[in-house]
């Protein structure tokens, strides 16, 4: 396993997903930050492919992209334009035709996969190595990074964008995975600890553990995993995760994409259908949760301690998913989500763990800022009728 330097860790922490390289002496590593379902697909043997795009300029820039074949028709692709000048993090011929390390981080910045891989030089290796040995300069702004990203997607036939004037050669690098291991993650905060490991637990339990950890960092002991509500003579789970701020509360239902060997052979359309169906169920569950809160039903922790809060405060109802896959099937959830606002004056949000973890970072662990971000995000959904909303920080590290 290779642990990224402090320099690279700043990059990793600033992104929802990403892919980088780093060398330290004789050690060379490919490092990726991926959604947990995609990372687990790697641990289950999903095929990997590396794409490298290099601009045809005197002072070139490059784009590195990792493709994970986690479905048979729509592989996951993470694209990262170079925006750094540290020589230890610039791709060169030293990474090829030998054993190097692959380290994969998850949405909450835990190292979850360690592997040994070999990157094979592409067929046109002479041109590739010549271009890699030229002066590779980083982009100097978010706009430049986006332009490089768009040029790569155009040249690789990944988008319908028009040519933006940046000419680029794309090289495909085979990734031979020789050994892969899932790693135990232990998360410690001032109010407790959590741990998880891919393969040792069901996927839904892992996602709830990850989520509980990041919420504890902001809400401390006011973030509850699996609180219980008593209605009449029956006690059941109120919601998966419940968090309390001074002026609002958060209820979260976690719905994740389960990954096993059979899942790697599914088409993306089938995956989306399953996720949308789960989200529809979660919306109804959250509506039931909201009604129980408004009826002043008794709510306790899983340790039977009473949870008290201002029931008249507004609530954010969140359906947390593993990954958002673009599809018209999501349109079926627009009216049910809006109806919760009209009938109960509560906002329902559908977002991925990557996106939610990023929102917590953007809020700088300030509950008031998080509230404002969630409201703004909901307004964007309401006005545009789409759940495909991606937050972005224009002040990403660029050195």
């Amino acid at each position: 396993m290779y642990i990224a330097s402090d320099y690279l860790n700043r990059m990793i922490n600033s992104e929802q997903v990403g892919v980088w390289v780093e060398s330290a002496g004789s050690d060379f590593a490919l490092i990726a930050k991926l959604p947990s379902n995609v990372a687990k697909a790697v641990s289950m043997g999903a095929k990997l492919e590396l794409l490298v795009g290099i601009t045809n300029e005197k002072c070139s820039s490059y784009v590195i992209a990792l493709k994970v074949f986690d479905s048979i028709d729509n592989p996951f692709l993470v694209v990262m334009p170079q925006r750094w000048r540290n020589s230890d993090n610039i791709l060169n011929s030293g990474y090829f035709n030998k054993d190097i390390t692959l380290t994969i981080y998850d949405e909450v910045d835990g190292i979850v996969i360690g592997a040994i891989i070999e990157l094979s030089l592409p067929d046109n290796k002479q041109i590739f190595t010549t271009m890699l040995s030229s002066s590779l300069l980083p982009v100097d702004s978010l706009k430049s990074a986006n332009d490089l990203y768009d040029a790569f997607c155009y040249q690789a036939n990944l988008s319908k964008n028009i040519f933006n004037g940046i000419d680029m050669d794309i090289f495909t690098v085979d990734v031979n995975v020789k050994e892969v291991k899932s790693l135990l993650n232990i998360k410690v905060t001032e109010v407790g600890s959590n741990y998880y490991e891919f393969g040792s637990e069901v996927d839904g339990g892992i996602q709830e553990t990850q989520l509980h950890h990041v919420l504890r960092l902001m809400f401390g002991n006011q973030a509850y995993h699996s609180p219980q509500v008593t209605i009449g003579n029956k006690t059941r789970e109120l919601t998966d995760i419940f968090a309390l701020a001074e002026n609002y509360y958060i209820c979260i239902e976690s719905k994740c994409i389960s990954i096993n060997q059979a899942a790697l052979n599914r088409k993306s359309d089938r995956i989306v259908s399953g996720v949308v169906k789960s989200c529809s169920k979660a919306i109804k569950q959250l509506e039931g949760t909201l009604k129980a809160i408004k009826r002043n039903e008794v709510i306790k922790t899983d340790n039977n301690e009473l949870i008290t809060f201002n029931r008249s405060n507004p609530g954010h109802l969140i359906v947390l998913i593993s990954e958002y896959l673009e599809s018209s099937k999501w349109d079926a959830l627009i009216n049910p989500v809006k109806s919760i606002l009209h009938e109960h004056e509560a906002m329902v949000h559908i977002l991925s763990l990557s996106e939610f973890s990023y929102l917590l970072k953007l809020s700088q662990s300030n509950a008031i800022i998080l509230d404002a971000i969630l409201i703004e995000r909901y307004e964007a959904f309401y006005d545009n009728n789409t759940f495909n909303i991606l937050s972005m920080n224009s002040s990403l590290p660029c050195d």
Side-chain angles (χ1 to χ4, degrees):
M1 179 183 71
Y2 181 90
I3 299 176
S5 66
D6 290 342
Y7 176 90
L8 182 54
N9 258 313
R10 291 195 301 115
M11 298 285 182
I12 295 170
N13 292 335
S14 72
E15 295 284 359
Q16 290 197 33
V17 295
V19 58
W20 304 265
V21 295
E22 185 163 81
S23 61
S26 60
D27 294 329
F28 292 81
L30 178 68
I31 298 166
K33 183 175 182 179
L34 305 172
S36 291
N37 60 299
V38 180
K40 187 175 181 185
V42 175
S43 74
M44 301 291 293
K47 177 187 172 184
L48 304 179
E49 201 171 77
L50 196 69
L51 301 176
V52 181
I54 306 176
T55 59
N56 293 308
E57 301 171 348
K58 184 176 181 180
C59 294
S60 301
S61 296
Y62 77 87
V63 175
I64 183 172
L66 181 65
K67 185 182 288 189
V68 181
F69 290 81
D70 57 339
S71 68
I72 60 176
D73 63 336
N74 187 24
F76 181 87
L77 181 70
V78 54
V79 180
M80 182 63 60
Q82 176 202 0
R83 65 169 201 269
W84 49 86
R85 62 179 72 249
N86 188 338
S87 60
D88 291 337
N89 299 100
I90 295 179
L91 189 66
N92 59 56
S93 57
Y95 288 87
F96 295 89
N97 294 344
K98 66 180 181 183
D99 288 354
I100 66 171
T101 301
L102 169 65
T103 298
I104 298 179
Y105 289 70
D106 66 7
E107 305 95 327
V108 297
D109 303 318
I111 300 177
V112 292
I113 301 292
I116 302 299
I117 63 172
E118 181 179 355
L119 304 179
S120 300
L121 283 168
D123 294 337
N124 43 359
K125 58 185 178 182
Q126 185 172 355
I127 298 174
F128 180 63
T129 53
T130 300
M131 295 184 77
L132 273 186
S133 63
S134 64
S135 222
L136 295 172
L137 296 179
V139 295
D140 56 5
S141 68
L142 181 63
K143 181 182 182 306
S144 298
N146 288 339
D147 288 344
L148 204 59
Y149 180 98
D150 289 342
F152 175 86
C153 291
Y154 173 82
Q155 299 280 4
N157 296 316
L158 299 172
S159 73
K160 297 179 181 179
N161 294 341
I162 62 173
F163 179 57
N164 66 1
I166 301 176
D167 194 22
M168 179 182 293
D169 286 329
I170 308 283
F171 301 90
T172 300
V173 176
D174 290 332
V175 181
N176 178 19
V177 181
K178 298 184 175 182
E179 178 185 321
V180 60
K181 292 182 180 179
S182 298
L183 304 174
L184 177 66
N185 261 260
I186 301 175
K187 302 291 188 182
V188 180
T189 68
E190 293 180 354
V191 296
S193 61
N194 306 84
Y195 65 90
Y196 59 91
E197 180 181 357
F198 294 161
S200 65
E201 303 177 51
V202 296
D203 297 344
I206 291 175
Q207 183 164 289
E208 289 181 26
T209 299
Q210 293 167 311
L211 176 61
H212 190 213
H213 166 68
V214 294
L215 283 172
R216 273 180 162 181
L217 294 174
M218 176 178 287
F219 296 98
N221 59 10
Q222 297 278 280
Y224 305 98
H225 188 192
S226 192
Q228 304 294 301
V229 59
T230 301
I231 302 174
N233 296 322
K234 295 183 178 180
T235 298
R236 62 171 177 80
E237 185 181 75
L238 175 72
T239 193
D240 290 332
I241 305 290
F242 186 54
L244 296 174
E246 184 177 352
N247 298 314
Y248 66 94
Y249 56 86
I250 297 176
C251 302
I252 304 179
E253 285 294 325
S254 174
K255 303 295 180 183
C256 80
I257 300 173
S258 294
I259 298 296
N260 52 32
Q261 288 291 349
L264 300 181
N265 295 317
R266 290 183 298 186
K267 290 188 175 181
S268 58
D269 188 65
R270 183 181 172 191
I271 295 172
V272 174
S273 294
V275 175
V276 171
K277 183 178 179 180
S278 295
C279 288
S280 179
K281 178 182 177 181
I283 292 168
K284 295 175 183 176
Q285 290 174 314
L286 288 168
E287 185 176 19
T289 297
L290 186 62
K291 290 178 178 178
I293 290 172
K294 297 302 182 184
R295 290 197 307 264
N296 290 314
E297 306 288 2
V298 174
I299 300 173
K300 294 184 178 182
T301 69
D302 57 352
N303 293 323
N304 206 37
E305 297 174 354
L306 187 66
I307 300 175
T308 59
F309 61 102
N310 187 345
R311 306 286 182 114
S312 64
N313 279 346
H316 289 291
L317 312 180
I318 296 176
V319 182
L320 196 88
I321 58 178
S322 306
E323 179 191 358
Y324 181 88
L325 298 170
E326 184 60 46
S327 169
S328 60
K329 295 181 184 293
W330 291 102
D331 294 349
L333 300 180
I334 292 174
N335 287 335
V337 167
K338 287 186 175 182
S339 69
I340 300 293
L341 179 67
H342 300 153
E343 296 175 19
H344 304 288
E345 297 183 343
M347 298 180 184
V348 175
H349 312 266
I350 298 177
L351 65 164
S352 67
L353 178 57
S354 292
E355 174 76 2
F356 188 59
S357 298
Y358 200 64
L359 296 184
L360 296 175
K361 291 178 181 179
L362 292 180
S363 69
Q364 300 176 334
S365 295
N366 184 308
I368 296 175
I369 297 176
L370 178 62
D371 182 39
I373 290 174
L374 287 172
I375 292 172
E376 184 177 9
R377 198 176 187 282
Y378 185 88
E379 290 172 347
F381 147 75
Y382 197 97
D383 293 341
N384 296 282
N385 288 323
T386 180
F387 299 105
N388 189 15
I389 301 169
L390 190 65
S391 302
M392 184 176 294
N393 180 3
S394 61
S395 61
L396 294 174
C398 188
D399 58 358

